[in-house]
Every structure is written in structure tokens, then in C-alpha cells.
Amino acid sequence: MNDKPIEKITTKIWRETPEIDNPFAAADCYCCGYDVYGDLLKNASYIDYLYLLFRQVPPTPEQSALLEGLAIALTNPGPRDHSVRAAMSAGVGGSTHASALIAALTVGAGNLGGAREVFHALAYWQQCQNRLADWQQLITDPPQLEREDVWPPMEHAPGFDPNGVSCPTPVRKTLEHLVAVGKTTSLTWLHQHRLELEGFAGCPLAFSGVAAAALYDLAFLPEEAEMMFLLLRLPGAAIHSLEQEKLGWRKYPFFADGFKLNP
Amino acid sequence: MPVHSKLETFEDNWRTSMGGWSPEGKVVLRGRDVFQELKSNSWMEYLLFATTGKESPKIARLMEGMWVICTSFPDPRIWNNRVSALAGTARSTGALAAAASVAVTEATIYGLKPIKGATDFLYRADKRLNDGEALEQIVQSELKQFRSVYGYGRPLVSGDERVEPMMEFARSIDCGEGRFIKLAFAVAEYLSKSRLKYQINIAAVCAGLLADEGLTPMDFYHMATLAFTAGAMPCFIDALNQQEGCFFPLRTSRLNYTGGEQVKHWRV
């Protein structure tokens, strides 16, 4: 008899009881104390369950409305977005559907408009909160990489679009809506001081900046915000990829004349 | 209103010296005709040239030895390989398994972060030595700032069985005597006598060997990205060939729940 302790998965999120006839199948599943299939399934909205998973407590109605608004705003970045283009590139070639989402995650993970930008922007919120002078200091003198990382260094102020001209209407409308439904301090402050912050950054606020402020107000940590941003933007990538798969590569830009090899 | 986006210049206009394909049937890589000038290269030589612009059968051979000796253990318990084994047992595809394993290899306690980090550390340490600092001071400040030194210490076991075979292979192709590999072992010597007792791991050895060949942290990182696939793929195949779902199944009692026992009720 082997009396070494059995290796287990430690979790404070999930508890299961076994089926009577099968120890490898769960009869009851509890998420943070809530019966998933006996209670949440009937009574919770999807967005509330999502919040519960990340924060381990149920959201207030305002928090729920804030996350719901953010989820709708982010769910389809549209077919010109880098991450959706990645998914469509899988689609037109007839690649596996999982590869389309892997492609969207990979491209949508980055420092430019992606989840890593949200990570950095949320860290900026943690550091500066509602202090305009601190934002100015951090944006004009950003932290330097102390040793090599696998991530490239940021090339612009996180949460802002270095290629933007003015803050786009969807970003402004999303910010206004989230301020109205969430009534939270950081989003409200961002709404009031957007122009000053854009002045420090030298470019307009982006969706990543709104997402970071919203998730900071929902008490997300940078890594939690990074994950949530990755998740929330996948539906658009999925459906645009499927659409292009049906249409095929002939109807999808190849940039035949746009590629110029230097002599 | 005038259009003044920075992006306008780049519309249908991607200029590159890296290479590409033309419909006339020519393929160019870094200014070289693939069919005329590179067709006899080994794949590793081609990858080295594509990734770093370096043309060196010696570095390619050294890198190939590293891939075999250091990065391709076919053990499905190792976390990146485990992803491929899980893909196999769950009947996913080989390419998805490999892609996920490669992505997961960008880890902190093994894989690509130590590979890049150890190379970066050796370059920084070498510069500081040249500036007159003592080795002890350099290592101590690294530990103080980051609480670790990439390339030293290892999860599960303290020693690294790959160090000796790798050095033996390196010496067989006239590597292993440069200043960076000597520095890597000098740091190991210092750390082994310190309170932490960290031993050198293979990341510092490979970093030292490749820094002596002029590879930068980015060069090594880019080259090593695919290095782990030869360990992951057999794990996928093995799990695919066995009964579906049988790779280390977990019964419900294998969850160690540490949250509160109280059952809560959702507000309606």
C-alpha cells in the first residue's frame, strides 16, 4: 500500500461531490459556495456568473450592468481589428476553428490594443488613481524595463491609441454608458479628464483604456483584467472567421499589390 | 475635413527587406534567393539565417545539439508537454497540441523566459564586470532586485542532468571555452557557496555558449521558440494512441477545496 499523500488540485473556487456510481463524475458543483446546476443555472445571468468566477462574490446591480456594458462593447471589435483579422486569416485558409480563436487570442494579447495593454493600463490606475499629476508623470516618464522580458516594451501610453487622431465615437459612447450605469469613481474621473490625459499621451483614449478603468473599478487585478479582455473579445473573432471560411480566400484581401520587397 | 491619420501612408504599402514570394516563382529571404542560394542549407541553418541573419553551420549545429539534449524530453508530466498529452487524450489535433505547447513554453520557471533572461543576465553581468564591479556584487544586486537569477536554480530537483552532456557536445564542436560560458560557471560557483545553494541550470549554459557565438537574448529567444516541439509531439501521439480520456484521470476527491463550506443561495 502506497501511503504517500495523493496529489490534489487546490482550489477555493470550485467544489464537487461525486455521483454515487462514478467517482470520476460530479453530481453537484459549487462555485464559490453557489450550486451551479441547482441554483446559478436557473437564477443567475451569464454576466453575473462571469463576475462571480473572477471576483468570487456576486456583483451588485451596478457592477453587473458595468460588466455587461463592457462585454457588449468589446464582444465584436469588427473585421478590421488585428485580432479578428487573425481569426479570419485562419478561416479563409480552412484552418481548424480552434486555430482561429488561438490566432485571435495571440494577436489580441499584445501591447497595441490588446490584453497586455489592458494589463499595463490597469497597473497605471493602481499607481495613479485619480491624481492627474501622477498620470502626467507616469505617462511622460514611463517605467523602464529592468531586465529582458518576453513581452516587447510598451511603445505608447497604455490605454491610448498611438495611431488615433481623435477619440473615436464608439469609445466615447462606451465610456459615457459605463459611467451612467456603473456610477464608479475611476470611469467618472476618466470621463471628466479624458482630454487632459489624451494631451499627456499625445494620442486619443482607446477601448483598452476604457476597459482598464472599468475593470479597475470592478476591483480586478491587472492579470485578471488581461484575461477578461481576452475572453470578451472572442465572439466577434469566431463569427467573422466562420463567415470568411464560407466566402473563401478569393473574396478576402491578399494585398497582392501592397507588398513591396526592397531591392 | 482633411484626412491626417498616420496609417494612411501604409495602406496597401508594406515595405520589407526580410523577404517574400513572387507569383513568378521566386522566393527571397534576407536578400538571398532561396532556390538558388539556400537550397542546400540544413533546416537549422535556414532557421538561424531567417531568424538572426547569421550564416553559421557551427552555430546551427550547436543549436541543434541544444534542441536534442536540452529541450525535447518526451515526458508528459512536464507542463508544456502535458498540454499536448491532454490534447491527445481529449482527441484534439496535433497542430493545435504543438501550438499550445509552444505557447505554454513561454514560462517563468522553465522554457523561454529563463532562456531569454539568462542570456540577458550574462550580457549585463559581463558589462558590469568590465566596468569594474565584482561578481559577488553583481549577483547579489540581481538577487536583491529580482529575487532570482535566470539560469540558476530549478523546480523539482536542484541539479541539472543536461549540463554535462551539453558541455561535452559543445566541446566536441570547439565551443565551450568563451568568456560568457566561463562567466556562467563563475556565477554558479559563487551561488553554490551562497545561502541559496542555487545550481546552474541548462538555460545559463546554453545562454553562455550562444552569447560566445554572438547571439543576443532576442536571437536565442526567437531560435528557441520551436525547440520544444520534439518533446511535445510524442506526448500527443502517445496519448492519442491510448484509450481516450485515460491520461491521468481525476476523481472528484482530487479537488482540495479550500473555500468556505457554506452553501449560498443566489438572489433572484
Side-chain angles (χ1 to χ4, degrees):
Chain A
M1 180 77 183
N2 187 352
D3 48 3
K4 278 178 84 172
I6 295 168
E7 294 179 308
K8 292 184 174 185
I9 297 170
T10 300
T11 173
K12 64 172 184 175
I13 298 166
W14 198 260
R15 180 166 71 89
E16 292 178 349
T17 61
E19 290 284 6
I20 294 168
D21 61 350
N22 183 3
F24 292 92
D28 298 305
C29 302
Y30 295 90
C31 180
C32 309
Y34 295 94
D35 183 341
V36 177
Y37 300 99
D39 185 1
L40 296 183
L41 185 60
K42 290 179 281 186
N43 297 321
S45 72
Y46 173 70
I47 215 74
D48 286 351
Y49 185 28
L50 197 58
Y51 182 96
L52 176 72
L53 273 167
F54 273 77
R55 302 289 317 127
Q56 280 101 61
V57 289
T60 64
E62 288 78 19
Q63 288 169 330
S64 183
L66 179 50
L67 187 57
E68 171 108 10
L70 182 66
I72 290 174
L74 298 181
T75 200
N76 187 10
R80 295 182 306 104
D81 179 83
H82 291 136
S83 71
V84 181
R85 283 172 61 184
M88 294 188 302
S89 297
V92 294
S95 305
T96 57
H97 299 136
S99 79
L101 292 189
I102 292 172
L105 285 173
T106 299
V107 176
N111 285 342
L112 177 62
R116 198 65 184 171
E117 178 163 27
V118 175
F119 174 93
H120 288 301
L122 202 138
Y124 273 39
W125 276 105
Q126 287 179 323
Q127 193 170 330
C128 302
Q129 297 171 9
N130 294 356
R131 297 185 296 268
L132 199 60
D134 287 10
W135 279 97
Q136 183 173 21
Q137 168 68 25
L138 195 56
I139 287 174
T140 50
D141 186 18
Q144 300 299 311
L145 205 60
E146 288 169 326
R147 65 176 177 178
E148 281 284 340
D149 188 21
V150 292
W151 289 105
M154 285 298 300
E155 297 175 34
H156 62 276
F160 299 86
D161 178 7
N163 293 319
V165 177
S166 63
C167 188
T169 308
V171 176
R172 284 189 286 109
K173 283 186 170 174
T174 300
L175 179 57
E176 283 163 18
H177 174 75
L178 298 184
V179 168
V181 299
K183 303 176 182 66
T184 53
T185 52
S186 305
L187 279 166
T188 305
W189 186 86
L190 175 62
H191 188 237
Q192 289 164 351
H193 296 277
R194 176 175 65 81
L195 291 174
E196 288 133 298
L197 292 169
E198 289 177 343
F200 303 151
C203 55
L205 184 69
F207 267 122
S208 54
V210 177
L215 293 168
Y216 178 66
D217 277 341
L218 293 173
F220 276 53
L221 296 172
E223 59 272 23
E224 294 168 344
E226 185 180 8
M227 283 281 199
M228 182 61 90
F229 193 76
L230 285 167
L231 283 173
L232 291 181
R233 299 204 321 156
L234 283 181
I239 203 66
H240 281 297
S241 175
L242 289 172
E243 183 181 49
Q244 295 306 317
E245 182 186 20
K246 287 192 186 74
L247 290 170
W249 62 270
R250 287 183 182 82
K251 291 188 176 173
Y252 190 70
F254 187 69
F255 304 109
D257 299 325
F259 182 83
K260 291 160 182 115
L261 191 58
N262 294 327
Chain B
M1 185 184 278
V3 177
H4 51 99
S5 167
K6 280 187 259 180
L7 296 178
E8 202 183 354
T9 321
F10 300 100
E11 279 189 288
D12 284 296
N13 183 24
W14 179 256
R15 293 178 182 275
T16 180
S17 299
M18 190 56 93
W21 164 83
S22 68
E24 294 75 36
K26 189 176 178 184
V27 181
V28 174
L29 173 64
R30 293 183 185 270
R32 307 287 292 275
D33 186 315
V34 172
F35 300 141
Q36 297 298 322
E37 299 173 77
L38 302 175
K39 64 183 176 187
S40 301
N41 281 19
S42 72
W43 188 77
M44 192 63 78
E45 287 167 357
Y46 187 89
L47 180 66
L48 180 70
F49 181 59
T51 304
T52 69
K54 290 182 188 298
E55 292 183 87
S56 166
K58 183 186 176 189
I59 298 175
R61 187 73 193 101
L62 177 62
M63 190 71 74
E64 200 167 41
M66 288 176 182
W67 286 34
V68 172
I69 295 166
C70 311
T71 64
S72 304
F73 293 4
D75 190 315
R77 295 170 302 175
I78 301 170
W79 305 280
N80 52 352
N81 291 346
R82 196 183 306 185
V83 173
S84 280
L86 287 165
T89 207
R91 300 300 188 252
S92 187
T93 77
L96 290 171
S101 286
V102 166
V104 167
T105 302
E106 203 161 55
T108 302
I109 59 169
Y110 68 97
L112 290 168
K113 286 184 189 173
I115 278 173
K116 194 174 183 189
T119 319
D120 170 54
F121 167 69
L122 291 178
Y123 273 104
R124 284 188 291 111
D126 182 65
K127 183 177 181 306
R128 289 171 68 172
L129 278 173
N130 288 336
D131 291 346
E133 278 189 70
L135 185 65
E136 179 185 343
Q137 190 182 350
I138 295 165
V139 177
Q140 282 300 337
S141 74
E142 188 82 2
L143 283 170
K144 190 177 174 189
Q145 192 174 0
F146 303 113
R147 289 184 295 177
S148 66
V149 183
Y150 276 130
Y152 300 87
R154 198 182 179 199
L156 299 173
V157 290
S158 52
D160 194 323
E161 65 285 345
R162 296 166 289 188
V163 173
E164 270 314 305
M166 187 63 234
M167 286 305 296
E168 197 177 315
F169 176 81
R171 288 187 204 102
S172 77
I173 57 168
D174 294 326
C175 297
E177 299 296 334
R179 81 173 192 277
F180 283 102
I181 191 65
K182 285 179 178 163
L183 172 59
F185 281 107
V187 171
E189 176 77 11
Y190 169 74
L191 279 171
S192 68
K193 291 175 185 160
S194 75
R195 183 178 54 81
L196 294 164
K197 304 264 185 282
Y198 284 155
Q199 293 185 37
I200 192 167
N201 69 44
I202 198 63
V205 174
C206 292
L209 291 169
L210 288 171
D212 281 326
E213 301 303 324
L215 263 68
T216 65
M218 282 298 268
D219 289 339
F220 188 10
Y221 166 78
H222 290 146
M223 282 299 290
T225 297
L226 292 177
F228 300 81
T229 45
M233 197 53 88
C235 296
F236 171 78
I237 293 164
D238 190 26
L240 186 68
N241 288 340
Q242 297 199 42
Q243 185 182 318
E244 61 180 338
C246 75
F247 176 73
F248 290 134
L250 296 169
R251 56 180 66 210
T252 61
S253 60
R254 298 292 290 271
L255 296 185
N256 172 31
Y257 178 64
T258 56
E261 288 297 323
Q262 183 199 351
V263 175
K264 301 171 188 169
H265 299 283
W266 196 260
R267 59 166 198 273
V268 180

